[in-house]
Amino acid sequence: QLSNSKTKESIKEDFMPKLKNYFSLIGKKLDENISLSEMVSISKSLPILTEESYISDQIVIRHEELKKEIEKFRAQEQLLKNRLFKIEEASKNSNEYIFSLHKLEERSKLSLKSTQDYNCPLCGTECKDIHQIAEDIQEANTWLAQESDLIVSSTEHFSEENRKLTSEKDRIVREIKKRWAELRNIEKNYLSQNKQHNLEKQIMRSKIEIEFFLSNMDKKNHRDLDIELLEVQKKINECNAILGEFNLEVEIKIAVQQINKNMNLLKPRLDFEEEFEGYRLNFNVNEFEISLVSEDGEKVSLSEMGSGANWVSCHIALFLSLLRYFSSKKKKSPIPLIMFFDQPSQVYFPQDDTEDSKRLGNELEKDKQAVTNMYRVMFEEIEDIQKETGINPQLIVVDHVSANTMLNETDQRRFKESVREVWRNGSALI
């Protein structure tokens, strides 16, 4: 758990550079060994500008100190990188050695002696040479097993050492970034010739930075966070106990199954490219991600689907299926049963009317058919949800197509009956 001391130390690391900059500007040194409470106390009564400040070069000295610190950390980073490289090479060699030992061990096991005495099958005389060879093989096999265990142990040590060095390298990189940001801040706001700030303005800027940091410092950091964390953990445990009664994981699985099932009922009626004919729509509730999955498990994410027709079809299938699922919960639905679609036909009919005239007749007809199918799916799905659940969810669509885009009388009639306002000829939604 996070302790008070670690939290205060982290705040101190962020706060110290701001105080150092201020003290450098007024030509004074700041004791870096002071506590966080002492830093706060000093910040509330900062020393003022004196005549000596005008001839002080402490901010320049601070700038040079930061450069040296960065160089020092860069050297440490490079050293750690070299050590990590050597450990990775040693680990690689160890793994190859272990593999070769295992191969030898497998072969030696085939040659282990299977009897106590080796006698000539013709004369019955004991074959001492063969007996000795068998003993040597036994001894070699024992050595191989011991050597293998030893190398495995050392490889585990490499892994732990790699983890420690990587952690230390990451810490060094954070220190470099922190000092680099401070260095750039000094160069931009206190040493820049273009800014031509006089000393009073530079000091005022530094003071404002300190005051801003103090005003945003979480007062809770001065409390016993361990006790607070225990209280929070207790509340989390209580919430988990309540959630456990609802068997949440099972409910989520059931919900996803229902959503996926409905999406794939809608899919054949929407405009997907032929290459995705054998694919099934799949919704990942944890990532809130929709994808197409083939029979052999190939997954195609939304960004990989290519055409805009695939995109809009995926969204319509998913969100209508979500609307159906939540409608089935009726009064227990956690969200209002209202859905809003913004210009779903735009992929087929861009608002620039001149584009329509450039397209060939069969291409235009194909696009009209796709839009007709799209709206038919919307109308029929809303009607079907009402029949199945008794709930009539509201679907609001803002689009620039008209009833004339629909290719048959039934779809045209549905469209006209559902239009609430036509924003054209100077009339506008916004």
Side-chain angles (χ1 to χ4, degrees), residues 220-280:
K220 292 182 179 180
N221 289 320
H222 299 284
R223 295 175 50 194
D224 189 344
L225 288 181
D226 288 328
I227 294 175
E228 186 177 350
L229 282 170
L230 287 172
E231 292 174 355
V232 172
Q233 187 60 53
K234 182 180 177 182
K235 290 179 181 178
I236 290 173
N237 293 338
E238 290 173 354
C239 290
N240 285 335
I242 294 171
L243 288 172
E245 297 177 5
F246 292 96
N247 208 356
L248 189 60
E249 289 186 5
V250 173
E251 290 295 327
I252 290 174
K253 286 181 180 178
I254 292 172
V256 172
Q257 286 175 355
Q258 292 177 359
I259 293 166
N260 284 341
K261 179 182 177 181
N262 196 69
M263 282 197 304
N264 286 290
L265 289 173
L266 297 177
K267 179 177 174 287
R269 297 155 60 192
L270 293 166
D271 187 24
F272 284 92
E273 291 179 314
E274 290 183 9
E275 63 178 295
F276 297 123
E277 186 175 345
Y279 287 68
R280 288 181 58 81

Side-chain angles (χ1 to χ4, degrees), residues 9-191:
E9 188 62 33
S10 176
I11 294 173
K12 182 179 175 181
E13 287 179 5
D14 292 336
F15 196 11
M16 182 61 77
K18 293 174 174 54
L19 276 180
K20 279 185 179 180
N21 286 348
Y22 183 88
F23 273 72
S24 296
L25 284 168
I26 62 171
K28 294 187 177 183
K29 279 269 188 181
L30 178 67
D31 182 6
E32 297 185 30
N33 297 319
I34 58 176
S35 65
L36 178 59
S37 58
E38 288 173 322
M39 290 171 65
V40 173
S41 178
I42 290 172
S43 301
K44 290 180 179 178
S45 56
L46 291 167
I48 60 174
L49 185 68
T50 64
E51 291 183 4
E52 295 177 355
S53 302
Y54 286 96
I55 59 173
S56 171
D57 59 354
Q58 284 296 320
I59 195 68
V60 178
I61 293 173
R62 175 62 185 151
H63 183 264
E64 291 301 315
E65 286 177 350
L66 283 168
K67 287 168 69 176
K68 289 178 181 178
E69 288 176 15
I70 290 172
E71 289 176 5
K72 182 188 73 174
F73 281 119
R74 287 288 188 200
Q76 292 178 14
E77 181 190 13
Q78 190 58 48
L79 183 63
L80 289 167
K81 283 182 177 179
N82 291 340
R83 291 178 63 185
L84 279 167
F85 176 76
K86 290 178 180 178
I87 284 177
E88 287 170 2
E89 284 296 305
S91 178
K92 180 182 176 182
N93 292 335
S94 293
N95 288 330
E96 290 176 355
Y97 185 43
I98 289 170
F99 179 76
S100 63
L101 287 177
H102 284 165
K103 285 290 185 183
L104 287 171
E105 194 173 359
E106 289 174 5
R107 292 178 182 178
S108 66
K109 285 179 179 178
L110 297 174
S111 302
L112 289 176
K113 65 183 208 175
S114 56
T115 182
Q116 294 297 322
D117 299 311
Y118 292 91
N119 299 318
C120 176
L122 297 176
C123 64
T125 305
E126 183 181 357
C127 299
K128 294 182 179 180
D129 290 344
I130 295 177
H131 181 77
Q132 184 59 48
I133 290 171
E135 291 291 336
D136 291 343
I137 291 173
Q138 179 67 50
E139 185 178 342
N141 189 69
T142 303
W143 179 87
L144 283 170
Q146 292 172 347
E147 182 74 359
S148 179
D149 291 341
L150 182 64
I151 297 299
V152 169
S153 177
S154 67
T155 303
E156 291 173 354
H157 172 73
F158 287 149
S159 178
E160 177 62 19
E161 186 68 13
N162 186 295
R163 185 192 65 77
K164 289 180 180 178
L165 289 174
T166 301
S167 177
E168 178 63 13
K169 181 176 72 68
D170 291 343
R171 186 189 70 81
I172 294 294
V173 170
R174 288 195 298 271
E175 293 294 335
I176 291 172
K177 287 181 179 178
K178 192 182 297 180
R179 280 158 180 78
W180 188 259
E182 188 182 346
L183 187 77
R184 285 288 171 254
N185 182 52
I186 290 174
E187 290 175 348
K188 179 182 177 183
N189 298 307
Y190 305 118
L191 298 181

Side-chain angles (χ1 to χ4, degrees), residues 132-388:
Q132 184 59 48
I133 290 171
E135 291 291 336
D136 291 343
I137 291 173
Q138 179 67 50
E139 185 178 342
N141 189 69
T142 303
W143 179 87
L144 283 170
Q146 292 172 347
E147 182 74 359
S148 179
D149 291 341
L150 182 64
I151 297 299
V152 169
S153 177
S154 67
T155 303
E156 291 173 354
H157 172 73
F158 287 149
S159 178
E160 177 62 19
E161 186 68 13
N162 186 295
R163 185 192 65 77
K164 289 180 180 178
L165 289 174
T166 301
S167 177
E168 178 63 13
K169 181 176 72 68
D170 291 343
R171 186 189 70 81
I172 294 294
V173 170
R174 288 195 298 271
E175 293 294 335
I176 291 172
K177 287 181 179 178
K178 192 182 297 180
R179 280 158 180 78
W180 188 259
E182 188 182 346
L183 187 77
R184 285 288 171 254
N185 182 52
I186 290 174
E187 290 175 348
K188 179 182 177 183
N189 298 307
Y190 305 118
L191 298 181
S192 173
Q193 295 300 315
N194 296 328
K195 295 291 181 182
Q196 294 184 350
H197 287 321
N198 59 35
L199 187 57
E200 289 89 347
K201 288 182 179 179
Q202 293 173 7
I203 290 172
M204 180 57 68
R205 182 184 181 86
S206 180
K207 188 175 182 180
I208 290 171
E209 285 184 353
I210 291 170
E211 290 174 351
F212 183 77
F213 187 90
L214 284 173
S215 66
N216 286 281
M217 188 188 296
D218 190 354
K219 295 178 181 179
K220 292 182 179 180
N221 289 320
H222 299 284
R223 295 175 50 194
D224 189 344
L225 288 181
D226 288 328
I227 294 175
E228 186 177 350
L229 282 170
L230 287 172
E231 292 174 355
V232 172
Q233 187 60 53
K234 182 180 177 182
K235 290 179 181 178
I236 290 173
N237 293 338
E238 290 173 354
C239 290
N240 285 335
I242 294 171
L243 288 172
E245 297 177 5
F246 292 96
N247 208 356
L248 189 60
E249 289 186 5
V250 173
E251 290 295 327
I252 290 174
K253 286 181 180 178
I254 292 172
V256 172
Q257 286 175 355
Q258 292 177 359
I259 293 166
N260 284 341
K261 179 182 177 181
N262 196 69
M263 282 197 304
N264 286 290
L265 289 173
L266 297 177
K267 179 177 174 287
R269 297 155 60 192
L270 293 166
D271 187 24
F272 284 92
E273 291 179 314
E274 290 183 9
E275 63 178 295
F276 297 123
E277 186 175 345
Y279 287 68
R280 288 181 58 81
L281 284 166
N282 182 71
F283 177 52
N284 183 333
V285 70
N286 294 319
E287 302 293 333
F288 207 87
E289 175 189 70
I290 187 171
S291 59
L292 284 163
V293 181
S294 68
E295 293 181 0
D296 58 2
E298 180 196 2
K299 178 182 173 183
V300 181
S301 64
L302 198 62
S303 62
E304 299 171 327
M305 289 182 193
S307 77
N310 292 327
W311 280 44
V312 72
S313 296
C314 279
H315 282 88
I316 289 174
L318 172 61
F319 288 109
L320 286 178
S321 298
L322 286 169
L323 186 62
R324 176 183 283 270
Y325 172 76
F326 287 116
S327 297
S328 70
K329 298 303 174 184
K330 301 181 180 180
K331 292 183 179 180
K332 292 183 179 180
S333 173
I335 63 171
L337 299 176
I338 299 172
M339 185 153 289
F340 187 98
F341 285 159
D342 181 26
Q343 300 184 77
S345 70
Q346 190 173 24
V347 65
Y348 302 102
F349 299 107
Q351 278 191 301
D352 185 357
D353 293 334
T354 60
E355 290 298 317
D356 284 346
S357 61
K358 294 179 183 178
R359 288 188 288 179
L360 297 174
N362 58 349
E363 183 183 351
L364 188 61
E365 197 72 11
K366 183 180 178 183
D367 287 343
K368 283 187 175 183
Q369 185 62 60
V371 172
T372 301
N373 291 342
M374 177 195 299
Y375 274 94
R376 186 182 301 151
V377 166
M378 292 182 199
F379 282 119
E380 291 178 354
E381 185 68 2
I382 295 299
E383 292 169 0
D384 199 44
I385 288 173
Q386 185 178 19
K387 289 178 184 177
E388 184 178 302

